[in-house]
Amino acid sequence: MKSLRLALAVLSLAATACRDKPVDHLQRARDATFEKRPDEALVEYRKAFDATRHDSSPEALVLRARALKGAADVYWLEQRKVKEAVGVYRELIQQCPESPEALEARIILADLLRVHYRDVRGAIDQLTAALKLNPPQGAELHYLVTKLYFELGDYQQCELETRRIMERFPTSAYVDDALYLQAQALAMMEGRRQEASRTFADLRTRFPDSELAPHALFEMGKLRADAGENEKAIETWVDALKTHPDPALVQDYIARARRRIANTTATGVGQREVAFDRVRPARTSLEAVGGRPEEAAHEHD
């Protein structure tokens, strides 16, 4: 009788072992995550990973990638344990580099490295590696790379990467963003401000309905003001007032330019009144968009 009970116990354990396949652990891990039991989820993901550790079959690789991705997501999204999440995302990339989960891991890891470790170059490396997998969101990822180069202050590389975006993804929704960023990078480089202004103008011509078009016009005005062309800058900003989402900001720049004109015009002892009689003050922004002179007189009250 005793031997019979022992045999039944062994069979029961064997049946349980057969039931506890990696997919079962993955399902229990997902259920635990959904039910806000992250510690239990991590245990199940670990069991699923261990069950596939020594299996090199394609099916096992798929399950292993899912187990690692699930565990990393729990560390990051549920527990906000950045260090642990980074470690598991890296392990996933190392063990299953060609998997869809590894692509997602690289994108998430890039953001974690940039935000939590200030490792901008590490983030660039991860996104560059992700781009080699030809992901469907390639234009977006490449644009993120250009933004990171701008953040680093590597304006030459940023400008180069924006050109690559327009060559590789000429019909994507990120072309106008790339043009705007290219112009910004050019403006930061010595001797290339005229080229930057032409690039802003190109954006407005090619994408007149882009939300970046009024911002490009505003930046063109800033470049003209920096070059000492205050009258042209004012004309540009007055034009920008029609569509810019922050007209108060534009009006502030117009007012500053007028003060600079006033300060440079009223020079010389005894020449202040003569100078102002000779140079008609620029129109106010309100006059420029159709307001009456008496209304414009109270524009900055």
Side-chain angles (χ1 to χ4, degrees):
M1 193 67 177
K2 182 177 180 181
S3 59
L4 178 59
R5 287 198 299 269
L6 180 60
L8 291 172
V10 170
L11 288 173
S12 177
L13 287 173
T16 302
C18 290
R19 288 196 300 270
D20 287 342
K21 296 177 181 179
V23 291
D24 297 322
H25 291 299
L26 286 176
Q27 187 57 53
R28 284 198 285 269
R30 295 189 188 105
D31 292 341
T33 302
F34 180 77
E35 295 166 5
K36 301 300 181 182
R37 293 180 280 115
D39 291 333
E40 183 177 332
L42 288 172
V43 170
E44 293 297 335
Y45 278 128
R46 170 54 64 180
K47 290 179 179 179
F49 173 76
D50 288 340
T52 63
R53 184 190 295 271
H54 303 296
D55 188 345
S56 58
S57 67
E59 295 79 6
L61 289 175
V62 169
L63 295 174
R64 193 181 310 161
R66 291 175 182 174
L68 289 169
K69 176 67 164 48
D73 287 347
V74 169
Y75 277 129
W76 168 229
L77 299 175
E78 304 299 327
Q79 298 185 331
R80 293 297 174 182
K81 293 182 177 180
V82 177
K83 182 179 178 180
E84 289 80 357
V86 167
V88 181
Y89 283 130
R90 288 190 184 280
E91 186 174 2
L92 165 58
I93 291 167
Q94 181 180 4
Q95 294 211 19
C96 313
E98 305 297 324
S99 66
E101 290 79 11
L103 171 61
E104 296 177 35
R106 287 189 183 279
I107 297 170
I108 298 171
L109 183 57
D111 190 57
L112 293 177
L113 292 175
R114 183 186 70 83
V115 174
H116 294 277
Y117 291 92
R118 303 293 187 269
D119 185 3
V120 178
R121 291 208 175 273
I124 290 174
D125 290 342
Q126 291 299 329
L127 292 176
T128 301
L131 283 168
K132 293 179 180 178
L133 299 174
N134 295 316
Q137 68 272 47
E140 178 184 3
L141 297 183
H142 204 150
Y143 178 66
L144 290 177
V145 170
T146 65
K147 289 177 66 177
L148 291 175
Y149 276 119
F150 191 92
E151 185 177 332
L152 276 178
D154 191 343
Y155 304 117
Q156 185 173 357
Q157 188 64 35
C158 174
E159 193 264 341
L160 177 62
E161 295 297 335
T162 57
R163 292 185 184 277
R164 290 174 176 169
I165 290 176
M166 290 179 277
E167 291 171 0
R168 291 184 59 189
F169 310 100
T171 60
S172 80
Y174 287 89
V175 174
D176 57 334
D177 298 270
L179 269 174
Y180 189 82
L181 190 57
Q182 181 185 55
Q184 287 184 308
L186 288 167
M188 299 299 292
M189 289 188 273
E190 191 69 29
R192 303 190 70 178
R193 291 190 172 185
Q194 287 188 352
E195 190 177 349
S197 186
R198 289 195 298 270
T199 304
F200 281 128
D202 184 33
L203 188 157
R204 296 186 65 242
T205 300
R206 293 174 58 185
F207 304 96
D209 298 326
S210 169
E211 64 180 12
L212 293 173
H215 295 280
L217 189 59
F218 176 69
E219 293 297 326
M220 289 170 65
K222 288 170 64 177
L223 290 170
R224 286 170 177 168
D226 291 342
E229 300 174 351
N230 290 300
E231 290 284 3
K232 291 184 178 180
I234 290 173
E235 292 177 6
T236 304
W237 287 326
V238 167
D239 192 15
L241 272 175
K242 302 171 186 176
T243 54
H244 199 281
D246 189 356
L249 173 66
V250 182
Q251 288 172 337
D252 181 58
Y253 272 78
I254 291 171
R256 293 184 194 180
R258 287 189 181 130
R259 286 195 293 270
R260 286 195 295 272
I261 292 173
N263 291 336
T264 56
T265 303
T267 56
V269 178
Q271 297 180 6
R272 179 182 181 88
E273 295 180 359
V274 175
F276 276 108
D277 288 340
R278 186 172 64 252
V279 181
R280 181 186 182 277
R283 295 186 303 167
T284 67
S285 57
L286 190 57
E287 286 180 274
V289 295
R292 297 192 303 275
E294 56 269 26
E295 293 174 329
H298 299 286
E299 181 179 355
H300 297 292
D301 289 348

